[in-house]
């Protein structure tokens, strides 16, 4: 199965174009005001037009209500919603039914006990994204540049496709994929020169490193 590489938190035409030309499979747009990567609906509309089906568009939200999701659908019409809050299994089901889009549920991980929620989410979600659990005083649930213990996902028996994120960069993505067995890697702060400021060279290096890890595993 082909590895999926997602560049999340894109906010400018230049860095989006870099990600697309470098071969990103998914491009993520953040609609969550506390994040330095938050986009206005108009910016999301503009960037969505630029994608032109060259990658899947993913709208990241955190415990968003229906009105917010409606507005995002109108502006971006994303291929997928990435739900990064405390959304329940019932809420996932509700969003899928109302908006007709697949959902990727972010699961924060710090200890093995965090994986107890998987059976419930796996029954409804289309994909799982494992991310590092944010500290208690954090203002947002992800994009904090901290990895988790990837060995917690070793021997994971999950029938659903899953991706790994949290503190990834070009230097460690291959190891993260090897240990977790994930079918995809998602990066945001690991390709930035400052919070919310994507670096074109880091984007290209990350995608190269992720692709190289797949070539090695095929051999």
């Amino acid at each position: 199965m082909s590895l999926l590489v997602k560049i999340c938190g894109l906010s400018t035409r230049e860095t989006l174009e870099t990600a697309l030309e470098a071969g990103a499979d998914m491009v993520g747009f953040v609609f969550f005001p506390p994040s330095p990567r938050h986009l206005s609906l108009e910016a999301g509309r503009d960037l969505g037009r630029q994608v032109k089906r060259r990658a899947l568009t993913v709208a990241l939200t955190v415990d968003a209500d229906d009105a917010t999701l409606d507005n995002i659908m109108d502006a971006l019409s994303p291929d997928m919603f990435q739900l990064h809050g405390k959304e329940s299994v019932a809420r996932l089901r509700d969003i899928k039914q109302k908006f007709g889009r697949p959902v990727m549920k972010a699961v924060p991980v710090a200890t093995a006990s965090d994986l107890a929620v998987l059976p419930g989410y796996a029954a409804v979600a289309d994909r799982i994204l494992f991310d590092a659990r944010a500290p208690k005083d954090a203002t947002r649930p992800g994009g904090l540049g901290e990895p988790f213990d990837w060995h917690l996902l070793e021997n994971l028996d999950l029938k659903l496709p899953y991706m790994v994120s949290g503190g990834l960069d070009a230097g460690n993505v291959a190891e993260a994929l090897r240990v977790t067995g994930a079918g995809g890697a998602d990066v945001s702060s690991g390709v930035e020169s400052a919070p919310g400021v994507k670096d074109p060279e880091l984007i290209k290096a990350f995608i190269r490193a992720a692709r190289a890890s797949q070539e090695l595993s095929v051999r």
Side-chain angles (χ1 to χ4, degrees):
M1 215 167 83
S2 182
L3 179 77
L4 294 178
V5 180
K6 176 171 171 278
I7 307 297
C8 196
L10 291 157
S11 58
T12 70
R13 293 181 66 86
E14 177 201 11
T15 53
L16 172 58
E17 194 60 34
T18 295
L20 292 168
E21 288 185 356
D25 302 289
M26 297 175 164
V27 288
F29 304 113
V30 176
F31 297 93
F32 182 56
S35 170
R37 304 160 189 99
H38 171 65
L39 289 181
S40 68
L41 292 169
E42 201 46 54
R45 190 188 309 274
D46 181 54
L47 293 175
R49 288 193 190 113
Q50 186 181 342
V51 177
K52 295 177 182 169
R53 316 306 304 173
R54 289 180 284 170
L56 294 175
T57 55
V58 180
L60 186 157
T61 65
V62 179
D63 299 313
D65 59 19
D66 283 357
T68 300
L69 297 177
D70 253 331
N71 289 336
I72 293 169
M73 281 294 293
D74 180 62
L76 180 65
S77 187
D79 294 301
M80 176 178 283
F81 280 111
Q82 177 176 328
L83 307 177
H84 224 99
K86 296 178 180 175
E87 298 89 358
S88 66
V89 173
R91 180 59 177 150
L92 262 65
R93 188 177 288 113
D94 190 41
I95 288 171
K96 287 183 67 167
Q97 288 174 348
K98 283 184 178 173
F99 299 97
R101 290 292 187 271
V103 298
M104 174 160 58
K105 180 67 184 89
V107 173
V109 179
T111 67
S113 63
D114 291 321
L115 304 180
V117 299
L118 282 178
Y121 284 134
V124 179
D126 298 277
R127 188 176 294 275
I128 297 291
L129 175 69
F130 292 105
D131 195 7
R133 180 175 287 283
K136 283 189 170 63
D137 58 350
T139 57
R140 56 188 198 275
L144 302 170
E146 291 297 324
F148 63 94
D149 180 1
W150 303 320
H151 292 282
L152 291 169
L153 300 186
E154 276 186 310
N155 307 313
L156 181 68
D157 183 21
L158 186 64
K159 303 295 185 276
L160 206 62
Y162 63 95
M163 302 178 76
V164 64
S165 64
L168 298 185
D169 56 34
N172 67 10
V173 63
E175 181 67 2
L177 290 167
R178 185 190 69 77
V179 173
T180 63
D186 181 10
V187 68
S188 187
S189 60
V191 291
E192 292 179 344
S193 55
V197 182
K198 293 289 185 284
D199 182 306
E201 293 308 313
L202 293 179
I203 290 173
K204 288 187 276 191
F206 183 86
I207 295 176
R208 273 197 308 270
R211 297 283 180 231
S213 76
Q214 185 181 33
E215 288 166 15
L216 285 172
S217 67
V218 168
R219 287 178 201 160

